[in-house]
Amino acid sequence: MITSIFLIFYFSSTANILVCNDTQRVSFVFVVTSPDDPTQLIPREQVEQAVKLSKHRINNVFLLSDMTLEFVGIPPTLAAPIVYDTPPWLIVFGVVIGAVAVGIMALLMSTVSKTRRAKDKAAGFAGEDAGIVKENGTTLSSLGGVYNQAFSNDDRFTQL
Amino acid sequence: SLHILTPSTQKVHLSLHSSLQSTPSEIQLQILTANLQRAEEIMKLKLPNPGLDDRILSHDELERLEVEEAGDRPKWDNKTQYMLTCVGFCVGLGNVWRFPYLCQSHGGGAFMIPFLILLVFEGIPLLHLEFAIGQRLRKGSVGVWRTINPYMLGVGIASMCVSFLVSLYYNTIIAWVLWYFFNSFQDPLPWSQCPVNANRTGLISECEKSSPVDYFWYRKTLNTSAAIDETGNLQWWMVLCLISAWAVLFVCCIRGIETTGKAVYVTSTLPYLVLTIFLIRGLTLKGSVDGIKFLFTPDINELANPTTWLDAGAQVFYSFSLAFGGLISFSSYNSVHNNCEQDAVIISIINAFTSIYAATVIYTIIGFRATERFDDCIDGNILSLLNTFDMPEGYINQSNYQEVLQSLNTTNSDIIGNLALKTCDLNNFLSEGVEGTGLAFIVFTEAITKMPLSPLWSVLFFIMLFCLGLSSMFGNIEGVLVPLQDLKVFPKSWPKEAISGVTCLVCCLVGLIFVQGSGNYWLALFDSFAGSIPLLIIAFSEMIGVVYVYGIDRFNEDLIFMIGHKPNIFWQATWRYISPLIMLAIFVFYFSTVVTKEIFYSAWDPESENFPTLEKKPYPSWIYVIIFFLAGIPSLSVPCTAVFRAIRDRCCKKQPSASVQELDSVSYKVHMQDEELKSQKSQKSDQKIYR
């Protein structure tokens, strides 16, 4: 039944549509007859249902809109709401939280490695201070001695 | 009291000496000037403040600290970071959604007059004061006030409490912004149309009666309950947004200004870029110029209304984020010779300019929205007329609508009466006075849905709000973290990251109050009471503390040391008399309006008669206890700490404050560092001999 009404509109056959009571504004009353039997009218409820289902396509055919084409007594149908599998906001949230987590990890790692390097340096300096006596005053090397590697603190090189 | 007597007696002595060589009229003149000077000295009241010199670094020590970089205090990488951080702290959501509303409702262009006057006499002096005292004493808010006088510790604690309470709800607003931002990545935007009901026969009634933007805000975002005592459940989507807001804040503040200094390059500059984009886009829309005209049309009569001046003063004060302690902290990381006077003026000008610029942009978009609504309203009326009278299309348009309506009314007045035509007034739509969250989440989002490429504008707008809010949060969190460190709440072994992490976690958990069903009402409560009166009290105490307890003379000398010249008569007058008086006036007015009238909150109640208008409901009685805690605890901590300390000093007399202060003072620490260095050097020289 519904497909037959579509066929009426798409193939522009006016054989089954009878028009009367037309006015200045393009407005008219219409009835739809069954394509098999021209004397039999299709009941109003079925026509209403069909119009409700396809109002959007009817609008497009006439290049009109819900504001400019009105079927009296048939309120325009509402477009089906778009249903997403995952709501898009959850995806964006995931991206942002992921980026933040990566940032936190990176900063914490850099702090940990900084403290580790500082600890190593502190151990290294303690050794150096003992080995290399400072600028003011005489140093062992200026007295003509030779720096003996055996007594230097090489431990730091073997550590990772 | 010694300070009052000594300078004045010297001056009197000198003038008497010179009078021996002069004529009688000259003697009279000299005696008159001497009396005036003595009166001035007495007026330059200075409260007794023993031990101040022990607690602060002298100028020489500061100079040495500067040259040797011996302190362990963090520093700004460059001046730009400091300026951007301060600008970001001052420029916040209030510039975008409070100032335009105030401007428009208090006489448009005429509002600029009280705003700029109070900016100059209230905002700039207070800002300069906070910058200078932080730069001089090189501590956060608690440290500064404890140094000035241990009895003034309460001011620092009050700042910390206010910063904490404000951080809680401010970050919830950022969570709301994030929710809208997450939802902007779809077309059509979810707030552009009402969702359909279960059997697709119509729209959801709550949405139909109000509007899609209202429905999305009150139902889909907040899922608000009808009253503040109906707590509702925790809204899981808002909990996620709250967690992301605190997580982003944590990542930016994890190492203090080391990380925030990098973040502000984006968060402080992006809003200006987005505002400019919106201005260009807005000016090309229909009706934008009507909006700007409506905003700036001056109404001089408003100047006679005291509320205008009060609102202008309050706006200047809150807009500068004074009394939070954050600005004192930020300027304490500066080099000691930084020109804080210039900084204060520049930042004030930038703040004022941003307010006016944002107001212009907002009102281009509001003008566009109002025009769209007006057009829809008129078109709806025209359509119903055309339908009723079977007239051809285009017979009635906007320009001849009135005359056609008149003529039809004379002939068929009964039919016209039955039609229920809406009254369409553009000014009405323009002055749908919205401020605060209503502006951002209802009015502006509706305007965006009417613009082509809506998701893009939505993303830009909410990123701008996010940056504005986040940069203000940096200052708030600084005002919480640094006092916590100064008060030694956390053990010393904890690294900075752990302290920021624990603070953010605690704030996030407490902030869950604001994401339950009634969270919106709690937020409004916090906003009205925690962020208003205590700040006024703190700011007033700050001025009194610096000018009269620390001493304006000493402060002037410090400024001569730091920036090279004495602050001129403008600063002297405003610091000593004008700004404290203005603060006092605002406080008295505010307090009297709050205390006298009964307080209501506006609730979104679908069951109410006037739905969709918000319903004014009175607070339940137990709320007054909460209000007392919110406003009272920070305000009362100022006097109570002083009393508590006085009692403690009086009853535990043993070795009074002197020894404790020695260990606290930085000069002692520098002294100890010297001692250590000396002992180390001597140790090394011993070792040399043995080798």
Side-chain angles (χ1 to χ4, degrees):
Chain A
M1 206 68 58
I2 295 159
T3 41
S4 63
I5 294 174
F6 279 119
L7 287 171
I8 292 169
F9 282 103
Y10 274 97
F11 293 109
S12 320
S13 160
T14 55
N16 300 96
I17 300 177
L18 311 165
V19 174
C20 61
N21 238 357
D22 53 313
T23 57
Q24 247 189 340
R25 304 176 76 213
V26 180
S27 79
F28 45 85
V29 178
F30 70 96
V31 294
V32 180
T33 58
S34 162
D36 312 315
D37 179 11
T39 51
Q40 185 170 41
L41 295 176
I42 293 181
R44 182 199 173 93
E45 296 77 31
Q46 288 180 354
V47 178
E48 269 188 23
Q49 260 204 346
V51 169
K52 257 193 208 167
L53 261 176
S54 340
K55 182 69 170 15
H56 189 62
R57 296 171 74 177
I58 299 174
N59 285 346
N60 282 348
V61 166
F62 287 106
L63 298 176
L64 294 171
S65 70
D66 279 343
M67 292 296 285
T68 41
L69 175 63
E70 185 196 0
F71 286 89
V72 176
I74 306 177
T77 46
L78 305 159
I82 312 172
V83 175
Y84 298 102
D85 296 330
T86 27
W89 74 265
L90 213 47
I91 301 174
V92 185
F93 164 75
V95 168
V96 168
I97 277 282
V100 167
V102 164
I104 294 178
M105 284 295 127
L107 285 168
L108 288 177
M109 287 291 113
S110 77
T111 315
V112 167
S113 64
K114 239 195 249 179
T115 43
R116 219 184 277 167
R117 258 185 285 136
K119 251 190 248 167
D120 289 348
K121 250 197 217 165
F125 273 136
E128 274 181 36
D129 265 352
I132 306 169
V133 178
K134 281 303 178 258
E135 295 74 40
N136 53 344
T138 54
T139 58
L140 285 174
S141 49
S142 69
L143 289 174
V146 170
Y147 183 59
N148 193 342
Q149 285 238 354
F151 292 101
S152 68
N153 184 3
D154 271 337
D155 285 353
R156 64 181 183 275
F157 293 112
T158 55
Q159 283 168 12
L160 186 61
Chain B
S1 53
L2 285 170
H3 292 270
I4 296 176
L5 286 177
T6 333
S8 62
T9 48
Q10 282 177 341
K11 287 197 170 88
V12 168
H13 176 76
L14 284 169
S15 57
L16 279 175
H17 178 77
S18 57
S19 70
L20 292 170
Q21 290 115 22
S22 37
T23 60
S25 59
E26 278 179 11
I27 295 172
Q28 278 180 349
L29 193 62
Q30 277 163 359
I31 292 177
L32 187 63
T33 32
N35 283 339
L36 276 175
Q37 276 170 348
R38 197 159 54 195
E40 196 195 41
E41 293 291 334
I42 291 170
M43 266 171 72
K44 236 193 268 182
L45 176 69
K46 193 179 179 316
L47 300 168
N49 197 354
L52 182 59
D53 285 309
D54 298 329
R55 295 193 292 265
I56 62 179
L57 290 173
S58 73
H59 291 173
D60 300 322
E61 283 163 345
L62 275 180
E63 196 70 61
R64 210 154 46 93
L65 215 61
E66 179 80 7
V67 166
E68 293 175 12
E69 299 190 358
D72 57 354
R73 207 164 171 73
K75 278 189 335 172
W76 296 108
D77 289 345
N78 51 48
K79 184 77 183 280
T80 318
Q81 270 187 8
Y82 166 63
M83 293 298 277
L84 284 177
T85 311
C86 289
V87 165
F89 188 24
C90 295
V91 170
L93 296 170
N95 294 69
V96 165
W97 70 32
R98 175 84 178 138
F99 178 79
Y101 168 74
L102 283 179
C103 195
Q104 171 263 311
S105 66
H106 283 300
F111 185 72
M112 296 300 158
I113 298 176
F115 181 70
L116 290 172
I117 290 180
L118 286 167
L119 183 91
V120 166
F121 286 104
E122 180 199 347
I124 305 186
L126 267 169
L127 199 62
H128 188 196
L129 189 107
E130 289 212 353
F131 281 162
I133 202 70
Q135 195 171 301
R136 168 66 180 92
L137 297 179
R138 318 199 69 68
K139 292 214 179 100
S141 63
V142 157
V144 157
W145 300 110
R146 182 166 48 193
T147 306
I148 288 184
N149 194 316
Y151 292 125
M152 288 203 77
L153 180 64
V155 179
I157 292 182
S159 286
M160 179 182 77
C161 290
V162 170
S163 289
F164 173 69
L165 291 172
V166 171
S167 305
L168 290 177
Y169 75 78
Y170 208 83
N171 225 26
T172 311
I173 300 180
I174 296 183
W176 292 341
V177 169
L178 274 181
W179 164 254
Y180 270 80
F181 172 70
F182 293 154
N183 273 295
S184 305
F185 288 91
Q186 48 187 296
D187 192 14
L189 293 169
W191 53 83
S192 59
Q193 58 212 24
C194 273
V196 295
N197 59 15
N199 45 2
R200 286 181 61 197
T201 50
L203 306 169
I204 295 184
S205 69
E206 190 183 352
C207 187
E208 213 174 356
K209 281 196 251 176
S210 52
S211 73
V213 274
D214 282 312
Y215 178 75
F216 187 79
W217 170 237
Y218 286 107
R219 190 54 52 212
K220 283 303 178 64
T221 307
L222 301 173
N223 197 9
T224 184
S225 58
I228 195 168
D229 21 14
E230 297 167 31
T231 53
N233 298 319
L234 284 181
Q235 316 302 329
W236 65 270
W237 59 92
M238 285 315 306
V239 174
L240 289 182
C241 292
L242 188 71
I243 291 176
S244 24
W246 280 106
V248 174
L249 184 68
F250 174 53
V251 101
C252 291
C253 295
I254 194 167
R255 281 202 219 133
I257 63 164
E258 209 182 307
T259 37
T260 59
K262 311 282 187 307
V264 289
Y265 284 120
V266 172
T267 60
S268 295
T269 52
L270 192 65
Y272 291 97
L273 181 65
V274 174
L275 277 175
T276 311
I277 295 176
F278 264 99
L279 183 68
I280 299 174
R281 171 74 265 220
L283 286 174
T284 59
L285 293 169
K286 178 186 175 204
S288 53
V289 183
D290 291 323
I292 299 183
K293 270 195 274 185
F294 183 73
L295 172 70
F296 286 124
T297 311
D299 177 13
I300 304 287
N301 300 324
E302 279 286 334
L303 291 181
N305 185 2
T307 328
T308 307
W309 291 86
L310 181 61
D311 281 340
Q315 173 62 17
V316 165
F317 178 68
Y318 294 125
S319 153
F320 274 96
S321 307
L322 297 161
F324 280 92
L327 290 171
I328 299 182
S329 278
F330 286 147
S331 70
S332 72
Y333 303 130
N334 268 329
S335 121
V336 84
H337 290 295
N338 176 51
N339 192 347
C340 49
E341 183 182 10
Q342 199 183 51
D343 294 343
V345 174
I346 291 178
I347 289 178
S348 311
I349 293 177
I350 293 179
N351 197 8
F353 162 73
T354 311
S355 294
I356 299 174
Y357 191 48
T360 314
V361 174
I362 295 285
Y363 265 83
T364 54
I365 307 290
I366 288 189
F368 161 70
R369 171 189 173 265
T371 310
E372 283 274 315
R373 280 207 147 182
F374 177 71
D375 285 347
D376 285 343
C377 181
I378 291 248
D379 287 344
N381 286 353
I382 291 178
L383 194 65
S384 53
L385 281 178
L386 291 178
N387 278 342
T388 324
F389 292 100
D390 264 346
M391 286 184 269
E393 204 79 20
Y395 186 75
I396 313 178
N397 53 30
Q398 270 196 26
S399 40
N400 63 5
Y401 169 74
Q402 284 294 2
E403 356 169 316
V404 173
L405 184 63
Q406 293 279 30
S407 64
L408 284 176
N409 221 354
T410 47
T411 50
N412 314 67
S413 52
D414 45 345
I415 309 180
I416 299 278
N418 287 339
L419 268 183
L421 293 175
K422 294 184 251 174
T423 41
C424 304
D425 180 12
L426 184 62
N427 273 341
N428 223 7
F429 288 123
L430 280 170
S431 60
E432 261 168 13
V434 257
E435 51 161 337
T437 51
L439 174 69
F441 299 117
I442 298 181
V443 170
F444 216 84
T445 43
E446 188 187 337
I448 287 178
T449 56
K450 300 196 204 288
M451 289 159 57
L453 284 184
S454 332
L456 169 69
W457 304 114
S458 181
V459 166
L460 279 178
F461 178 63
F462 289 110
I463 273 211
M464 175 184 84
L465 289 187
F466 177 69
C467 287
L468 284 171
L470 191 68
S471 53
S472 298
M473 276 305 294
F474 293 154
N476 283 330
I477 279 292
E478 179 81 9
V480 175
L481 285 178
V482 174
L484 284 178
Q485 288 172 333
D486 282 344
L487 290 171
K488 301 193 177 39
V489 169
F490 293 103
K492 228 177 172 175
S493 55
W494 283 26
K496 226 187 278 191
E497 289 85 351
I499 298 177
S500 347
V502 168
T503 312
C504 287
L505 186 66
V506 168
C507 289
C508 187
L509 290 174
V510 179
L512 289 175
I513 311 172
F514 302 114
V515 295
Q516 52 185 0
S518 54
N520 185 29
Y521 308 131
W522 284 99
L523 198 137
L525 186 75
F526 270 63
D527 190 26
S528 332
F529 295 105
S532 58
I533 293 195
L535 287 172
L536 293 165
I537 294 181
I538 296 172
F540 184 72
S541 316
E542 280 187 4
M543 298 213 98
I544 301 295
V546 169
V547 172
Y548 298 109
V549 177
Y550 184 72
I552 188 72
D553 294 323
R554 187 187 285 268
F555 194 57
N556 284 333
E557 280 167 23
D558 289 335
L559 277 160
I560 295 174
F561 167 70
M562 290 197 292
I563 60 180
H565 59 267
K566 183 172 173 183
N568 59 30
I569 187 72
F570 166 73
W571 301 111
Q572 305 299 325
T574 47
W575 283 335
R576 283 187 227 187
Y577 315 117
I578 302 182
S579 299
L581 280 173
I582 296 179
M583 306 275 21
L584 197 62
I586 297 179
F587 170 71
V588 164
F589 274 117
Y590 230 84
F591 195 69
S592 56
T593 45
V594 160
V595 164
T596 49
K597 63 171 196 219
E598 209 186 319
I599 26 182
F600 292 97
Y601 68 102
S602 306
W604 176 263
D605 189 358
E607 318 286 318
S608 83
E609 311 163 339
N610 297 335
F611 188 77
T613 319
L614 294 172
E615 195 189 332
K616 276 193 151 40
K617 294 191 180 172
Y619 279 116
S621 42
W622 49 269
I623 284 283
Y624 291 91
V625 178
I626 309 261
I627 291 179
F628 173 74
F629 276 125
L630 287 177
I633 289 191
S635 319
L636 290 176
S637 64
V638 176
C640 285
T641 322
V643 167
F644 179 69
R645 254 207 132 99
I647 294 176
R648 198 185 66 169
D649 287 345
R650 206 69 48 102
C651 68
C652 326
K653 259 205 180 148
K654 29 176 189 173
Q655 279 281 311
S657 342
S659 58
V660 179
Q661 277 168 15
E662 252 190 78
L663 291 168
D664 272 350
S665 80
V666 185
S667 51
Y668 183 73
K669 277 192 210 141
V670 172
H671 175 69
M672 286 309 293
Q673 269 185 9
D674 279 345
E675 295 285 295
E676 272 181 40
L677 282 169
K678 268 190 241 165
S679 60
Q680 276 179 11
K681 279 195 197 141
S682 59
Q683 275 178 18
K684 281 193 203 146
S685 56
D686 289 339
Q687 286 173 352
K688 263 199 301 187
I689 294 171
Y690 281 123
R691 211 157 293 244

